[in-house]
């Protein structure tokens, strides 16, 4: 597997990997508070987006593979509770480089929203914020 | 068919999947072969585990209807995902 690449990514500018795909960004957000296995990531993304984003297994693992290769996430070596858990499950967590990239993506999105708010469209959106365009289906809005 | 009737337990105590879930899983696993071999070797087992959990949740929540409602998005996810992989390789 693509592990232990974090060191080789330190010289890479996090902004160079932007923009992230919506699926990747959602996966990173779901891993912000700790490690998770694949199904847990799917459920967290669905919950976090109020059901607007439903990732499918292929999108999930295609993204995971790319993120492992880029050093954004890594496999966790220790399992939260080996006695209660399926040993075939793999757990993933954000690397510190992944955190930097996620923060850079957040800043990019903030700039984008600020720019949109400055237009006449922003006036129409009012103070209620934008309703995010839905990404129905399992494609994860990619 | 109702979700309360399944999953049933075999006499041995081993959990048996509802037929709608096992059939869907079987067809989906067969379709996984369209994904590149290296990708399958690395992730097919985990993907099947995830899809199985999705199907069981759908079964518990909505029964057969819930499982059927997963077919189209699951197929789209598989075809698009596999297609993208092939293009990338």
């Amino acid at each position: 597997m693509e592990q232990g690449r974090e060191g080789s990514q330190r010289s890479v500018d996090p902004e160079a990997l932007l923009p992230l795909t919506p699926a990747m960004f959602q996966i990173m957000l779901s891993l912000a508070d700790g490690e998770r296995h694949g199904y847990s990531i799917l459920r967290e993304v669905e919950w976090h987006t109020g059901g607007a984003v439903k990732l499918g297994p292929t999108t999930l693992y295609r993204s995971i593979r790319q993120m492992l290769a880029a050093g954004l996430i890594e496999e966790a070596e220790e399992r939260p509770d080996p006695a209660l858990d399926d040993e075939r499950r793999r757990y993933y967590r954000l690397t510190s480089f992944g955190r930097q990239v996620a923060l850079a993506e957040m800043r990019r999105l903030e700039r984008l929203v600020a720019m949109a708010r400055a237009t006449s469209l922003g006036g129409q959106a009012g103070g209620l914020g934008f309703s995010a365009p839905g990404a129905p289906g399992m494609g994860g809005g990619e | 068919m109702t979700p309360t009737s399944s999953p049933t337990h075999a006499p041995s105590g081993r959990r048996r999947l509802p037929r709608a879930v096992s059939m869907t899983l079987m067809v989906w696993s067969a379709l996984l072969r369209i994904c590149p071999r290296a990708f399958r070797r690395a992730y097919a087992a985990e993907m099947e585990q995830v899809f199985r959990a999705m199907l069981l949740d759908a079964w518990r929540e909505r029964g057969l209807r819930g499982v059927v409602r997963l077919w189209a998005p699951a197929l789209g996810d598989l075809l698009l995902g596999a297609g993208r992989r092939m293009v990338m390789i």
Side-chain angles (χ1 to χ4, degrees):
Chain A
M1 293 298 298
E2 299 93 338
Q3 284 189 32
R5 296 188 181 204
E6 195 179 345
S8 65
Q9 298 291 340
R10 279 180 192 147
S11 57
V12 178
D13 178 7
E15 304 244 346
L17 295 182
L18 307 186
L20 297 175
T21 66
M24 280 189 190
F25 190 48
Q26 291 291 347
I27 292 168
M28 293 174 91
L29 292 180
S30 77
L31 295 174
D33 295 326
E35 54 203 46
R36 290 179 184 275
H37 56 76
Y39 190 55
S40 172
I41 293 172
L42 289 192
R43 296 303 300 238
E44 176 69 9
V45 168
E46 190 176 346
W47 180 82
H48 215 80
T49 61
V53 177
K54 292 179 183 174
L55 299 176
T58 316
T59 304
L60 174 70
Y61 283 99
R62 185 168 47 80
S63 303
I64 282 178
R65 181 179 170 163
Q66 290 170 359
M67 293 162 78
L68 283 168
L72 303 179
I73 60 171
E74 63 189 358
E75 264 185 50
E77 287 163 15
E78 288 178 15
R79 313 170 69 74
D81 192 347
L84 296 174
D85 197 24
D86 187 329
E87 61 184 18
R88 293 169 300 177
R89 267 181 178 163
R90 280 184 268 192
Y91 283 76
Y92 302 96
R93 66 179 168 221
L94 274 182
T95 61
S96 57
F97 177 66
R99 277 184 195 279
Q100 289 174 39
V101 172
L103 286 169
E105 176 70 350
M106 278 173 58
R107 284 192 291 268
R108 185 188 72 82
L109 292 171
E110 278 170 358
R111 284 196 300 269
L112 194 65
V113 172
M115 195 176 73
R117 283 196 189 280
T119 67
S120 58
L121 275 177
Q124 291 170 34
L128 299 175
F130 300 116
S131 64
M138 288 174 144
E142 281 190 74
Chain B
M1 246 193 274
T2 62
T4 50
S5 62
S6 287
T8 56
H9 292 267
S12 63
R14 217 181 65 199
R15 203 167 206 189
R16 202 194 315 155
L17 291 175
R19 183 171 291 181
V21 171
S22 61
M23 294 291 285
T24 302
L25 199 53
M26 198 172 72
V27 172
W28 185 84
S29 299
L31 288 173
L32 258 188
R33 289 181 196 147
I34 65 173
C35 293
R37 188 177 294 175
F39 181 67
R40 262 187 291 139
R41 204 179 306 132
Y43 298 108
E46 263 185 284
M47 287 168 69
E48 282 183 20
Q49 217 176 25
V50 166
F51 191 50
R52 178 189 161 115
M54 290 170 72
L55 287 167
L56 283 172
D57 274 357
W59 176 263
R60 273 184 221 112
E61 287 164 18
R62 291 185 180 158
L64 182 61
R65 187 176 296 183
V67 171
V68 170
R69 282 179 68 166
L70 273 181
W71 287 354
L75 192 63
D77 172 63
L78 189 58
L79 293 177
L80 280 174
R84 282 174 186 155
R85 282 233 59 76
M86 285 171 192
V87 168
M88 284 173 67
I89 286 171

